[in-house]
Amino acid sequence: MSLLLPSISSLVMVTRVPEAILTRISAFQLVFLCLFASALAMYIGFSVVSWYRLRQFKGPWFAGFSELWLGKAGLSGQFGEVLDNVNREYGQVARIGPNDLITDNADIIRYMSGSKGQGYDRSGWYRAFTIDPELHHLFSTPDLAYHDKLRAQMIAGYTKKENPGFEASIDEQVISLTRLIEGKYLSSESETKRMDLGKIIQYFTLDVITKLSFGYAFGFLVKDGDVYEYLASFAPSIPFITLLSLLPALRQLVSIQWIMTLLSPSKDDAKGFGKLLRLCEELVQERVAGDEKSDMLGSFMRHGLTPRELEKSIMVQLVAGSDTSAATMGGTLLHLITNTRVLQRLRHEMDAAVSSGKISRPVIQASEAKQLPYLQACVREGLRANVPLSPGFAKVVPKGGDTLAGRYVPGGTRVYHNTRGVLRNKEVFGDDVDVYRPERWLNDELEGKGTERGERMMRMLKDIDLNFGYGKWGCLGRVVAEHELNKIYFELLYRYDFTVINASKPCTRVEYIQILIKDFWVRVSLRK
């Protein structure tokens, strides 16, 4: 009996606690506590329901209950690596959010983006790149019919027929780049001049896209500086844009008009993104007034884009057409200048081609570059090892759901593309996927025999193309990027010797929704 007394006493005390508390709090506080408890219960219930919906897919445990895990990954600075590790650990279709999956299966990505994946629409991820909330552009619009209309109107602008100075415009910027290097950054035996190769490459890609778009380069290379402080103003916003693309609740908040107005750049800004918005507006107005030219802007006008559509389309090109190419170029050049074996073999091919008169001077032509097999292998391996795209491009599973990788996926689920993971598939690219090895792209050195070797090469080529999208979502600027990559690798490595200044940390690579290569300091000298 005595053993029961403490338990009975404790029970009496516990039952009296609520009464004691109630005498010490106001009615307002009680209502607040009840509301808080209700909200907490609803949140827990909603989280459990969300988790249960995609319970068949594995992933980081917290990701199944909250989008905060995905937001944290987005701000890690190593976004692609973090999400690629999820696929490596949990399989080809893995969970990264309450309503979010990610896949590194190339066939699934092609299926969602192609004609067979009828009903797969763009998710809210794309709306993070909206410039004008009242008018979507080619990359942000969720309206497939409008997307197809814009694409049909714009595609001709990327051809030499409508833009006859297409390749010559890129060549001009290659020459401008070499003039900058030789006029300011060449080192000698008695003097070292430091050059940030990552920044110089960004200047090059920006001058290329502005020359192709407007008929004249903005002059990043000539100035050797950040024209209008565009890069300096845009870089700090990239983490926020990353969160905006990943978190639907944040997109809803920012869609409120006064908040959007507060956060958006203004055309009245004296520098930065807003300054470029006004400049694009002025250039479009000049063209509408009758200043017709044979460049991308002129082609878009001839094919029916309205002035407002022109402004948004050109502005998107400045961002999408420069940063992605610069990321791949910078990463690939680092591989090439630090890999003696690869560099020697590439230069042997270059020297032989120039000596035989097969290469135009002062700048190689794209058609000539295609005839150099080892250069093409280096370009492709660069695209594989230095994917220009962070994970994203999420599509929405159609109503009624679908089956992916043998498992049912409910309608409304967002499925992200992991192109980095696709291009590190050991079954396709070999066991050394983390090594930069161009030889994997040469038929004579590819593993396997006969038909097997040919099929493997076709699969590799097919998968590497996912860097440029697929099907109706394919990248219009692919031809620009291919010209840039071929010309830059050839001309820089044929003309100059590069030495990394800091061998222990050659550069800083930061990856959010975009990939940035910073502090890529090198020593440049004329090649002996």
Side-chain angles (χ1 to χ4, degrees), residues 239-476:
F240 178 73
I241 295 173
T242 301
L243 283 182
L244 203 60
S245 70
L246 300 174
L247 306 180
L250 183 60
R251 287 197 299 273
Q252 286 291 106
L253 180 65
V254 173
S255 66
I256 298 173
Q257 187 61 46
W258 70 268
I259 295 179
M260 180 173 290
T261 302
L262 182 66
L263 295 176
S264 299
S266 169
K267 292 180 181 179
D268 294 328
D269 294 341
K271 58 186 179 181
F273 203 82
K275 171 70 174 179
L276 287 183
L277 283 172
R278 185 169 80 253
L279 183 60
C280 288
E281 180 181 56
E282 291 171 354
L283 288 168
V284 168
Q285 289 174 353
E286 289 177 7
R287 297 298 181 89
V288 172
D291 184 16
E292 185 173 344
K293 293 182 180 179
S294 295
D295 51 23
M296 286 185 178
L297 183 55
S299 175
F300 297 164
M301 287 184 61
R302 288 191 293 274
H303 288 271
L305 263 67
T306 67
R308 285 184 66 200
E309 289 173 336
L310 289 168
E311 292 173 27
K312 305 305 174 287
S313 298
I314 292 298
M315 199 66 217
V316 170
Q317 286 195 162
L318 294 183
V319 180
S322 59
D323 288 351
T324 50
S325 296
T328 292
M329 279 187 221
T332 303
L333 283 169
L334 177 59
H335 282 298
L336 291 170
I337 65 180
T338 58
N339 192 322
T340 303
R341 178 191 62 80
V342 172
L343 184 57
Q344 286 180 344
R345 183 167 180 176
L346 177 59
R347 282 179 165 172
H348 178 76
E349 181 181 71
M350 291 176 174
D351 292 342
V354 172
S355 298
S356 64
K358 296 179 180 178
I359 305 300
S360 299
R361 311 307 302 138
V363 181
I364 188 172
Q365 298 302 286
S367 58
E368 298 164 350
K370 296 293 185 184
Q371 303 307 311
L372 302 179
Y374 199 68
L375 174 60
Q376 295 312 300
C378 290
V379 171
R380 288 167 182 157
E381 184 69 350
L383 284 165
R384 188 198 67 80
N386 304 281
V387 177
L389 308 170
S390 297
F393 306 90
K395 304 299 188 298
V396 179
V397 177
K399 293 180 180 179
D402 201 354
T403 299
L404 301 178
R407 286 175 288 180
Y408 174 74
V409 183
T413 303
R414 294 181 291 268
V415 184
Y416 285 73
H417 300 189
N418 176 10
T419 309
R420 172 190 169 113
V422 169
L423 301 178
R424 282 170 169 74
N425 185 337
K426 293 182 178 181
E427 293 182 5
V428 178
F429 296 97
D431 291 334
D432 61 344
V433 291
D434 295 320
V435 176
Y436 181 85
R437 184 173 63 84
E439 287 75 14
R440 76 179 82 245
W441 296 96
L442 301 176
N443 273 309
D444 293 343
E445 300 182 36
L446 192 64
E447 295 179 5
K449 297 181 180 180
T451 304
E452 178 187 353
R453 179 185 293 179
E455 290 176 352
R456 184 172 181 182
M457 178 60 77
M458 290 300 296
R459 177 61 188 267
M460 289 167 60
L461 291 170
K462 192 176 180 182
D463 286 357
I464 201 76
D465 282 350
L466 288 176
N467 274 314
F468 301 102
Y470 184 79
K472 56 182 174 285
W473 312 117
C475 174
L476 291 179

Side-chain angles (χ1 to χ4, degrees), residues 485-502:
L485 299 177
N486 278 284
K487 291 173 184 290
I488 281 296
Y489 300 156
F490 188 97
E491 295 303 335
L492 291 187
L493 299 174
Y494 178 74
R495 295 165 184 255
Y496 310 114
D497 285 322
F498 293 87
T499 305
V500 171
I501 298 291
N502 186 349

